[in-house]
Structures are given as C-alpha cells and as structure tokens.
Amino acid sequence: MANMGLFSGTKSSKPLTMSVKSLTVKFRIPYYTHWGQSLLVCGSEPVLGSWDVKKGFLLNPVHQDDELIWSGSIAVPIGFSCEYSYYVVDDRKNLLRWEMGKKRKLLLHETIKDGEVVELHDLWQTGGDALPFRSAFKNVIFRRSFSLDIERSDGLIQNKLEQEDSVLVRFKICIPNIEEDTSVYVIGSTSMLGQWKLQNGLKLSYAGESVWEADCTGNISLETGANRNLNVDFSNNQPRYIFLSDGMMREMPWRGAGVAVPMFSVRSEADLGVGEFLDLKLLVDWAVESGFHLVQLLPINDTSVNRMWWDSYPYSSLSVFALHPLYLRVQALSEKMPEDIKDVDYEATLATKLAIARKVFNQEKDLILNSSAFQNFFSENEDWLKPYAAFCFLRDFFDTSDHSQWGRFSHYSKDKLAKLISEDSLHYDIIRFHYYVQFHLHIQLSEAAEYARKKGVVLKGDLPIGVDRNSVDTWVYPNLFRMNTSTGAPPDYFDKNGQNWGFPTYNWEEMSKDNYAWWRARLTQMSKYFTAYRIDHILGFFRIWELPEHAMTGLIGKFRPSIPLSQEELEREGIWDFDRLTRPYIRLEHLQEKFGSSWTYIAANFLSEFQKGRYEFTEDCNTEKKIAAKLKTCAEKSMLLDSEDKTRRDLFDLIQNIVLIRDPEDSKKFYPRFNLEDTSSFMDLDDHSKNVLKRLYYDYYFHRQENLWRENALKTLPALLNSSDMMACGEDLGLIPSCVHPVMEELGLIGLRIQRMPSEPGLEFGIPSQYNYMTVCAPSCHDCSTLRAWWEEDEERRRRFFKNVVGSDALPPSQCLPDITHFILRQHVESPSMWAIFPLQDLLALKEDYTTRPATEETINDPTNPRHYWRYRVHVTLESLRKDKELKTIVKDLVCASGRSCPPGGQEVASNTRDKQQVASSREKNPISKPLSGVPQKGTVAVV
C-alpha cells in the first residue's frame, strides 16, 4: 500500500529553542522487522538528521494485535515543515533498506496551537507502490486529457477544534488514475462519515500530486471500514490532530498487454533493408488497433565494433549512449535527397545508409550543425558524444576497435580528446559527421517516442548487462571494468554448458565511489526515449558469473561477489590435495576413450606425461583460447583425424575436468566447479572427499551467498531505479538465488515468466493462472525458439504439454495450428500478471496465412551459438498488418475478453462473454496481491 505522506509545500524552519512555542509530532508506522533491526525516520531538518541516516530519529516498537507498530515523538516549532522517509537500520544504525517512492512532505499550519500533539499514521512505501508514478503510467497509460484543480491549500486546517476533547482527523488517499468528473468520498461507521451511507459521507478534495484529502472534526472514537481502521488513544497526551495517510485507492488490478519485436526485425514499405526508428509510428498504430498498451524492443545502441555481421548482436555495444546508425531513415535527412537510393540486403544496409548520409551531410552540414536544435542536442550530450565521435574516427583510422592497438591514443585523456575533435584538425568533418548522424537518430527516435506517448503506448527499451571490451566505455572509463575477466552465465535453460559473453565484468567497488554515475547516466539517456525498460540478466546485479579472460566457454567460472571455500575450511574437512583437485584430471584411459586411435597425436601435440598414465596440458595450450588457436593451426595443416569442432570440444572437456577452481588473486581460496559431480575427477575420489565436497558445493551455490548477494543488489539496483522515472522490469530467468524475488518485490521490479522455463521446482511447464501480479508473462522470448518452433521440435514434450496443460489425452497435432496458439496466448492474457507481452512471431501464428515460413527461421537468437547472426525480419510489412482486420480482431478480442486495459482506439468490447466469466472465476480463485489501481468509471463515485 502506498503512503505518499503529506504532499504540500515545504518551508524552512528555525532551530527550536526554549523560548519558541512548540508542538509534538508523533510518527506511527506498522512494519515487521527481523531480529536486530530497527526503524528510524530521517528527513531534511536537523531534528531528523538532515538526511544523514546515522543521525536519524529512532522509533520504538510495540505489538498491537497482529501488527508491529513503530512510533516516536519529537518536539518541533509551530509552523514546522520538512521532508522525511523511513529507513531500516541495524543496531549500529547501518542502513539496511529504505522506502521507495517519493519523499514524504510535512507542513504543520500555524493554526495548530502551542502544546498540541500531531500524530502521523503512515504506511511503508514499497517499490510496487511507486509504480503508478513511473512514466509508463503517469505520462502514458494514466495520462489525463483534462486537468484537476487543486481545491485546498498546502497544510491548511479548514476545521477548527473548538472543544477540548475534539479531534481532527485528516483523511488522505492516493489515486493516480481517475476519470474526469469523478468524486471521492470516505464513509465509515460514525455519523460524521455517513454511517456507511454514501450520500452522507465525507467528500475529499484534490490536494495535488494525485492526493485527495479532507478533514473531519468532532468528539471522535473512530473505526472506519473492515479493512481500514483508525483507533484513537484517549490516554494522557492524546493527539488532537491525526493525519491518516491511507495509501492507494483499492480497485481492480490494472493489467495490460504488449508486443515485442527487435527494431531490426520490423519491415515497412519505406525502410531501407532494416527496421527504422520512424517505423515505430506504424508499429504503435498497429499495437493500438490490436489492443496493446506496450511495444518492447531489444537494445538499440551502436554495436559497430567489428564492422561486419558479428555486430548484429545487439547486447555488445560500442557505446551505451550512442544510437545505432542502422536505424536511421536517410530519406528523412533532407528534402533534397540523392537519387541513387535503392533496396539493399541486411549486411550492406549500414554501409549504404552511412554513404547516403555522408552525401546529405556534405550538402547541408553547416545549415544543420549551426541550427539551435543541434546546438541544444550537442550541449546536452557532449559528455558522451565527443568521445564517441573520436572513438569512431580512431576505429576507422587504425582499422580496429581494439584500443590497445592505437599507440599513444590507447589510453584516453581529455587533452588527447580535445586535440582529436579540434576544429583545426584535418579530420574535423569526420568527427562532425558522427555528431550529425547521432543528432538525426535522436530526432527520429524522439518523434516516434512522443507519438507512442500520445497514443497511450509504452515504449519499452532494453538495458544490456555488459559492454563490448573494445568499446568507448572501456576506453574512457577503464577503471570501471575488470578487463582480465569475462562475464557469462552458468548452465541453465538457455545453454546446458554455460555461456561466455566475453564482456568484461564490472568493478562495482570503483563504480560505487561516485554513486554509480555511469549507470545513472545510462538510465537518464534511455529515459529520453523510453518509458519502461527491461534489465537484461538482472541476476548480474546480485552476482555475476565471472570467467577468466582466456576462457571461451562458460563452465569454469565463479560468482562475483561470493564467499569462497578457504584452504583452512577444506583442511578441517580432511581435504588437502589441492593440486589434484584444481588441475585437469587426465588419465590415459580418458584419452583413449575420447580420441580413439588418434590419442597419441593429441598427447604428443597438446599434453605431457608427468606421471605414468597421468597427463597435463603443455604451456602453449593450457587455456581454452590457446587450445583453440593451436587447433586452428593443426586444422589448416590437415593434421586432425576428427573435425576441428569435435576435437576442440573433447579437449575442452579435458581441461574442464577439475573439482575446484583456485582463486587467481589468492591461492588459498577456492570455488567449486559447477556440476562437479559430473566430472571423472570427482568420481575417482574417495567417499569421504565426495561427501565433503558435495556438501560444500551446495553450500557455496545455494546457501552461504544469500545475504551477500542481497546486500549487493540493494546497493546497485536502487541507483538505477532512482536515476529515472521509467518502469523497470527484470529478466530473472535461469539459476535463481532465493534472495532475488524478495528484493525485486521490495524494489518494485517486475519479473519475467516464460511458460517453458518455470521458476517453481518440479514443474515442466509454468501455470500462468498462478503467476504473481508483479510479473510480465510470455510464451517465448528472443533468447529461445518461437512458440510455433517450440511446439514442433519435440514430439514427446508436445504430448506432455497437451496432456498436462491442455488436459487432453488425444494425440496433439504435429503443427502449431492457430487454435493451439490461441489457447496458449489466452492462458497468458488471462493470467494475473500485470503485463502479458507477446513476440510478434507468436501473434502471427494466430493466423494460418502467416505460418507458411518454416518456424525455425523465425528464431531471433540461439544462445548456444556465440556467433549467431541476429538477422530475423518479419516477412510481412506493417502496412499490410494494419490492413489485416481479421488478425487485429482476433488479438484485440483476446486482450479485451481477459479484462486487460486497451489504449484509446482499441477499446471495442470483445463478444466472448463466456471468456469473461471464466476470467472472473479464475481471479476469485487466484487473488492478486498488491494490485496497481485501475480506473474508476467516469461519472461514478469512488468510495474508500
């Protein structure tokens, strides 16, 4: 429940002295803490610590019925005002957690007399409570076409207390979404609250910032409603003023739907070989007509690191700030376009667009670059724009993005940058060209983003977890990255062998020194275009899977941060042969089994025998990268009997055949290898060692890290969330620590649920009707096969789904027919999840006309292939989709029948009444916790 505090103007207060008349403010808030934790209030004035939590005012706990109430009183001068928030601390006042949302505001009007007691009844604000005030809702979905007039002044006490035993209660409710001409009343058991009769209730007035309030006075002993209770304590020093902040209006939960498609996959009649930012306007129109409130994209930052098809990978950015020139509509650069524009294939698109853009730039550069619009853009973005332009020039000049190869420019400095971008330099026009392209990308994406906002459609971006090691960011901010390591993921749904993304890991300790300024700048930049975003691999903010830089696979890694196994700990358990456990365990029989008759060649070229029948890798091939390099040489000389790929996999199996990983920074610390029980190194140990290592393995991966990872996330994630007002969603798939979901709930982060990847143990398929409200649900995503491909690729799994989910013993169709797609999509729209977001490919599968293309060709990414070519394009134009009334009707009926909100223009009522009844019944069986408020109907009275 939200408690927005007292929203009113703030004025400064003077230090309290004995001669100043004063009154008492009593704080009161219900909140359950753990042993050793306390609650304090900290605020803008010295009496509340001046925002120094260590100096905040500690509250005292008392059990009241089934609640733990924290309270405390302070003396303040008459006319006191401040801002404040609540914090959880340990017994040394170290900060453990804090409220999300806006700071509370308190203004005590001067009509409150000397010696009075003002009691504040507050409720803890969670991240979920703050969601209605994120831009996705505030500026898009709940965007008003009318204005509300503020009906009462800040802090004004409209009713005077004339009797000594009378009490003033200020009722206060937050309603972020309300229709025009709607009134708000509070009714209750007393005569002053209408004795539960609406016509006699207390009407609330609008006080600004979505808050409605009213004062009620008299000789009161109140209890208001079955769910909202107010009990007045008439003991000594009773409060005569009670400010009751009663959270959010309780209504039906708001739910919406959306479509997900990569920018490069969009097709229109106007594009030049790839989807373009201005195509988003057509996509938004189709989304509205189909009943969707959201359009989700993959990352759109420049990835031009290698200047070849490898750069199609959208999560490996050249710059986390620059937009990708691929998405530029060159026809919109000028009214005087060159006449040689033509259609091109995907691989040639970028080069062609840049060539055309250069022609236009040469014609109009002075006109554009001297305009006030460009000057404003440049002044707002020069901190990243200048290094980006310089980097692009140096990349092209040295023919590599590997800045370690740039000679004296390898190490960035502001002085070197100033010379590189100087107006006097011979290459100044090259620098300015990059400014020019980014300016037009900004103009075009801004136009599309504003169009989406006006249409009531949330534009959702994607925040990649990593950056390319040869990027502008690692060049300019090398201290923020651990360049001798790589990030990846342990084995999970996406890849049973783990993944190595190749990104350098973050130096969180260094980033924390300026309160994560680099991250905050990224989010600020994103918020110029997006009103929501997806945090890629949110687990990385709890802990990241870190690999040595020389690794090519993702298996032999460790979590950072993590508490390792110490040598002392292992020795206490009787584990002492660390060389045996940390070196690849290679016996003669292993070689013969893997390589057959060619084992002698492998042994002679890659290994040395250090004991009879025991082998180790030689110095020139004792890492995965060294093995791959040597194999390439052998393959070129046709010296391998098996294929290069098979031989590499077998050699990698050998080098990964270890039980413990020794910490490269501290030789007395160790990490258990992931899935160590699968290795022959483990299998050949004695039973005592197996039992000890198995127990320590489960302790390392599933127990000892939980508090550390929780604390790490609570340091990093709030910096992101507080740097913009975008709605944040987290991709929380894979190996999920138990601390993740509670932290996400606390911070108001919306999770992700993919039906084929259930987070619940023991389930093969997720159950959408049981999903938590604070989730996005989807039948597939860009990192897995489409719904149609998934259905068709595994017959046995298809039968299990048909039996256990559809509830049929019949033989399921081998093809994913439109009826199958409709059933699965209907499951998702009817779920309690706040959002149901569907890949466009899955929506097209609702109509047989769009299923002629082989399903496997619609896959966006194959996570098991590090060199996957991200080139999927929708085979139908947006213009054609807009003309397809049948598909739009099918989709819109699904959305509307489920009770999900539709944007203006997409609100036609679905005709399937039976579906609506089933949805209502499903909701009764599956209550939704802490729902986001819906919309009071126009012309009705909202009652609290």
Side-chain angles (χ1 to χ4, degrees):
M1 291 270 303
N3 173 13
M4 303 314 298
L6 299 175
F7 286 90
S8 55
T10 304
K11 68 177 184 178
S12 60
S13 60
K14 299 177 181 179
L16 185 64
T17 65
M18 295 299 294
S19 60
V20 177
K21 294 182 178 180
S22 67
L23 48 86
T24 298
V25 173
K26 182 178 180 180
F27 298 93
R28 181 189 186 279
I29 182 169
Y31 188 84
Y32 279 103
T33 55
H34 296 294
W35 182 261
Q37 297 178 348
S38 296
L39 213 66
L40 63 74
V41 58
C42 187
S44 57
E45 294 300 309
V47 69
L48 294 178
S50 300
W51 294 122
D52 182 349
V53 174
K54 291 278 189 182
K55 298 178 181 177
F57 177 60
L58 277 171
L59 304 178
N60 297 309
V62 61
H63 284 280
Q64 189 174 100
D65 297 326
D66 59 348
E67 290 186 317
L68 183 64
I69 306 296
W70 292 83
S71 61
S73 301
I74 59 171
V76 299
I78 290 176
F80 177 79
S81 65
C82 72
E83 292 184 333
Y84 69 98
S85 289
Y86 292 99
Y87 300 83
V88 178
V89 295
D90 62 18
D91 53 8
R92 295 184 179 181
K93 278 194 173 181
N94 294 313
L95 180 60
L96 299 178
R97 71 185 65 93
W98 56 92
E99 293 186 290
M100 301 296 290
K102 297 180 180 180
K103 291 181 173 62
R104 305 168 188 271
K105 295 181 180 179
L106 172 63
L107 173 59
L108 300 178
H109 200 267
E110 293 181 354
T111 54
I112 301 178
K113 299 177 181 179
D114 181 30
E116 296 284 10
V117 177
V118 178
E119 186 167 289
L120 309 179
H121 287 225
D122 289 328
L123 295 172
W124 181 270
Q125 296 174 173
T126 68
D129 299 328
L131 273 177
F133 302 96
R134 295 289 183 180
S135 57
F137 291 100
K138 180 180 65 175
N139 299 334
V140 182
I141 297 170
F142 295 166
R143 183 172 179 163
R144 296 193 190 108
S145 59
F146 61 95
S147 60
L148 286 169
D149 295 329
I150 295 178
E151 301 171 297
R152 54 185 294 145
S153 302
D154 294 343
L156 180 64
I157 303 296
Q158 294 179 325
N159 301 16
K160 294 184 179 180
L161 296 180
E162 303 193 357
Q163 301 179 20
E164 289 188 7
D165 58 351
S166 62
V167 175
L168 180 144
V169 177
R170 171 165 295 172
F171 292 94
K172 200 172 180 44
I173 191 79
C174 183
I175 310 177
N177 186 30
I178 193 167
E179 287 286 353
E180 192 172 6
D181 299 326
T182 300
S183 298
V184 182
Y185 285 77
V186 58
I187 59 175
S189 57
T190 70
S191 59
M192 281 168 285
L193 296 181
Q195 294 179 322
W196 299 115
K197 294 180 180 179
L198 178 59
Q199 64 270 23
N200 298 328
L202 178 66
K203 185 176 181 180
L204 277 64
S205 301
Y206 186 61
E209 300 191 58
S210 300
V211 171
W212 298 72
E213 59 182 43
D215 296 340
C216 177
T217 61
N219 190 341
I220 301 175
S221 176
L222 286 177
E223 181 171 288
T224 59
N227 294 317
R228 303 183 189 269
N229 294 290
L230 172 61
N231 297 304
V232 181
D233 180 7
F234 284 91
S235 60
N236 292 334
N237 202 30
Q238 72 174 58
R240 295 239 292 159
Y241 295 86
I242 298 175
F243 293 172
L244 179 64
S245 298
D246 213 358
M248 286 285 181
M249 181 76 177
R250 296 172 185 168
E251 304 172 76
M252 286 293 292
W254 186 96
R255 298 180 306 139
V259 58
V261 61
M263 190 71 258
F264 57 78
S265 298
V266 171
R267 187 184 295 271
S268 76
E269 294 174 1
D271 72 50
L272 198 65
V274 71
E276 299 167 345
F277 287 147
L278 289 176
D279 289 330
L280 290 172
K281 296 170 72 174
L282 281 174
L283 182 58
V284 164
D285 286 337
W286 179 83
V288 169
E289 292 159 5
S290 302
F292 289 138
H293 254 305
L294 183 146
V295 168
Q296 176 173 322
L297 304 177
L298 293 187
I300 54 171
N301 294 110
D302 191 353
T303 59
S304 307
V305 175
N306 304 289
R307 293 174 298 168
M308 60 181 293
W309 67 265
W310 289 358
D311 296 334
S312 67
Y313 180 34
Y315 288 90
S316 186
S317 56
L318 177 86
S319 166
V320 299
F321 299 99
L323 299 172
H324 206 310
L326 190 68
Y327 305 129
L328 182 71
R329 175 156 296 170
V330 292
Q331 300 96 313
L333 294 179
S334 171
E335 295 179 358
K336 301 176 181 179
M337 290 299 300
E339 297 180 357
D340 55 352
I341 293 181
K342 59 185 182 297
D343 287 339
V344 295
D345 64 32
Y346 180 83
E347 294 182 42
T349 296
L350 182 58
T352 303
K353 286 191 172 187
L354 290 177
I356 296 171
R358 282 191 181 93
K359 291 182 180 180
V360 181
F361 170 75
N362 289 332
Q363 291 176 4
E364 302 185 354
K365 58 188 175 186
D366 292 331
L367 176 66
I368 298 298
L369 299 182
N370 289 325
S371 67
S372 59
F374 174 80
Q375 293 299 324
N376 290 336
F377 165 78
F378 187 80
S379 63
E380 291 177 6
N381 297 277
E382 60 181 321
D383 286 346
W384 66 263
L385 188 57
K386 289 178 178 179
Y388 166 76
F391 187 98
C392 291
F393 166 73
L394 291 170
R395 173 201 60 194
D396 298 343
F397 182 83
F398 287 102
D399 199 27
T400 179
S401 292
D402 183 355
H403 38 81
S404 68
Q405 307 299 312
W406 289 355
R408 66 189 182 93
F409 294 109
S410 294
H411 300 288
Y412 172 87
S413 74
K414 290 185 178 180
D415 290 340
K416 292 176 185 176
L417 176 65
K419 292 177 182 178
L420 280 168
I421 64 173
S422 169
E423 294 182 17
D424 300 328
S425 66
L426 295 175
H427 54 264
Y428 185 54
D429 261 6
I430 299 176
I431 296 292
R432 293 204 300 168
F433 174 68
H434 294 294
Y435 297 162
Y436 170 84
V437 170
Q438 287 299 313
F439 170 64
H440 278 286
L441 287 165
H442 164 74
I443 293 296
Q444 292 180 15
L445 182 55
S446 296
E447 179 182 331
E450 180 58 27
Y451 187 84
R453 279 191 285 268
K454 288 182 178 179
K455 288 281 189 173
V457 173
V458 173
L459 198 58
K460 181 181 177 184
D462 198 322
L463 183 74
I465 186 61
V467 300
D468 198 285
R469 61 179 59 250
N470 297 321
S471 65
V472 181
D473 302 280
T474 58
W475 182 51
V476 177
Y477 308 107
N479 58 319
L480 300 185
F481 304 92
R482 297 170 54 83
M483 298 299 290
N484 63 337
T485 63
S486 294
T487 60
D492 58 15
Y493 297 111
F494 300 117
D495 192 340
K496 301 302 181 184
N497 296 311
Q499 299 174 57
N500 185 343
W501 301 322
F503 309 136
T505 53
Y506 295 121
N507 186 342
W508 290 110
E509 294 79 9
E510 190 67 29
M511 289 180 162
S512 67
K513 292 178 180 178
D514 59 5
N515 193 26
Y516 309 98
W518 181 78
W519 283 103
R520 289 186 287 110
R522 287 182 71 177
L523 271 296
T524 300
Q525 187 71 11
M526 281 190 75
S527 66
K528 294 177 180 178
Y529 315 111
F530 298 104
T531 49
Y533 65 105
R534 166 190 178 271
I535 303 175
D536 175 42
H537 193 65
I538 196 172
L539 303 184
F541 293 90
F542 292 78
R543 82 293 185 271
I544 197 71
W545 188 244
E546 184 177 79
L547 302 149
E549 191 275 332
H550 55 70
M552 293 182 66
T553 65
L555 191 59
I556 308 299
K558 63 184 178 65
F559 287 123
R560 178 180 287 272
S562 66
I563 303 168
L565 309 178
S566 68
Q567 182 170 323
E568 180 183 3
E569 178 182 8
L570 289 162
E571 287 175 342
R572 282 200 309 267
E573 298 280 1
I575 305 296
W576 55 270
D577 193 351
F578 300 109
D579 280 346
R580 158 70 175 82
L581 298 172
T582 59
R583 294 170 65 182
Y585 182 65
I586 308 171
R587 300 181 64 88
L588 175 60
E589 54 265 33
H590 300 153
L591 299 178
Q592 293 172 335
E593 179 183 345
K594 282 189 175 296
F595 302 102
S597 60
S598 63
W599 79 266
T600 53
Y601 174 80
I602 297 296
N605 286 273
F606 294 88
L607 305 164
S608 64
E609 189 175 17
F610 69 94
Q611 289 179 6
K612 185 171 179 58
R614 291 283 305 277
Y615 293 82
E616 64 183 0
F617 282 96
T618 55
E619 181 67 27
D620 65 336
C621 51
N622 61 358
T623 70
E624 291 179 352
K625 282 189 176 179
K626 289 180 180 179
I627 289 172
K630 190 163 185 176
L631 268 178
K632 188 175 182 64
T633 302
C634 294
E636 290 171 352
K637 296 179 180 179
S638 301
M639 298 170 67
L640 299 176
L641 295 181
D642 284 322
S643 71
E644 183 182 351
D645 285 346
K646 181 183 183 306
T647 306
R648 182 172 57 248
R649 287 195 302 270
D650 289 340
L651 285 170
F652 280 7
D653 284 346
L654 291 180
I655 204 168
Q656 295 166 357
N657 191 22
I658 60 176
V659 175
L660 296 177
I661 301 169
R662 194 187 294 268
D663 193 319
E665 299 170 6
D666 188 338
S667 62
K668 293 187 177 182
K669 293 179 180 178
F670 302 89
Y671 306 88
R673 176 222 196 259
F674 199 87
N675 287 346
L676 58 80
E677 293 180 58
D678 296 340
T679 67
S680 60
S681 179
F682 177 85
M683 294 175 188
D684 284 356
L685 292 172
D686 62 89
D687 288 344
H688 171 76
S689 297
K690 285 181 183 178
N691 291 334
V692 169
L693 289 167
K694 191 186 300 186
R695 174 166 46 82
L696 292 175
Y697 172 90
Y698 283 98
D699 180 56
Y700 175 84
Y701 281 101
F702 302 108
H703 297 293
R704 71 165 65 189
Q705 318 296 345
E706 293 293 330
N707 287 336
L708 175 65
W709 291 344
R710 172 185 169 83
E711 290 171 4
N712 195 56
L714 288 174
K715 290 176 185 175
T716 56
L717 285 172
L720 272 70
L721 300 177
N722 294 333
S723 60
S724 80
D725 63 355
M726 293 184 289
M727 178 182 72
C729 305
E731 182 265 290
D732 54 345
L733 303 175
L735 188 67
I736 309 295
S738 60
C739 64
V740 170
H741 290 152
V743 168
M744 291 182 66
E745 182 178 357
E746 184 174 333
L747 297 180
L749 283 159
I750 302 169
L752 176 62
R753 299 293 177 268
I754 305 292
Q755 188 172 26
R756 72 186 74 167
M757 306 174 189
S759 56
E760 300 86 354
L763 280 182
E764 183 179 14
F765 311 111
I767 305 173
S769 63
Q770 295 179 6
Y771 290 161
N772 184 277
Y773 175 67
M774 289 288 289
T775 56
V776 170
C777 69
S780 70
C781 65
H782 68 274
D783 270 334
C784 61
S785 55
T786 62
L787 174 57
R788 193 159 64 97
W790 177 81
W791 180 268
E792 296 171 5
E793 67 192 8
D794 188 325
E795 181 181 355
E796 289 303 316
R797 183 181 62 200
R798 182 167 65 241
R799 288 184 178 183
R800 293 193 301 273
F801 184 91
F802 209 61
K803 178 178 177 60
N804 298 326
V805 178
V806 180
S808 172
D809 291 321
L811 186 67
S814 60
Q815 303 295 308
C816 189
L817 303 175
D819 284 348
I820 296 294
T821 302
H822 190 277
F823 173 86
I824 295 174
L825 266 56
R826 178 179 159 187
Q827 276 192 310
H828 287 73
V829 293
E830 292 182 357
S831 76
S833 298
M834 181 189 298
W835 289 101
I837 301 177
F838 303 101
L840 182 57
Q841 305 96 301
D842 293 349
L843 294 167
L844 295 179
L846 285 166
K847 191 173 178 182
E848 196 169 352
D849 294 358
Y850 298 119
T851 62
T852 56
R853 185 179 190 174
T856 53
E857 292 183 8
E858 295 183 332
T859 298
I860 295 171
N861 178 39
D862 175 6
T864 65
N865 179 7
R867 289 300 184 194
H868 178 76
Y869 195 168
W870 296 61
R871 63 181 304 175
Y872 165 72
R873 292 200 74 198
V874 181
H875 55 293
V876 59
T877 65
L878 290 170
E879 290 87 349
S880 296
L881 283 177
R882 288 199 65 196
K883 293 175 183 176
D884 191 337
K885 294 183 179 179
E886 182 184 359
L887 178 64
K888 290 192 296 184
T889 299
I890 293 171
V891 174
K892 187 165 52 183
D893 282 352
L894 270 171
V895 175
C896 293
S898 72
R900 291 184 179 270
S901 171
C902 291
Q907 292 179 327
E908 290 86 347
V909 178
S911 59
N912 196 331
T913 305
R914 181 174 56 84
D915 283 356
K916 292 180 184 178
Q917 293 171 345
Q918 290 177 347
V919 173
S921 175
S922 173
R923 286 192 197 138
E924 290 175 5
K925 295 176 183 177
N926 300 286
I928 299 170
S929 61
K930 293 191 176 180
L932 198 62
S933 296
V935 187
Q937 295 298 308
K938 185 174 181 178
T940 64
V941 180
V943 184
V944 296

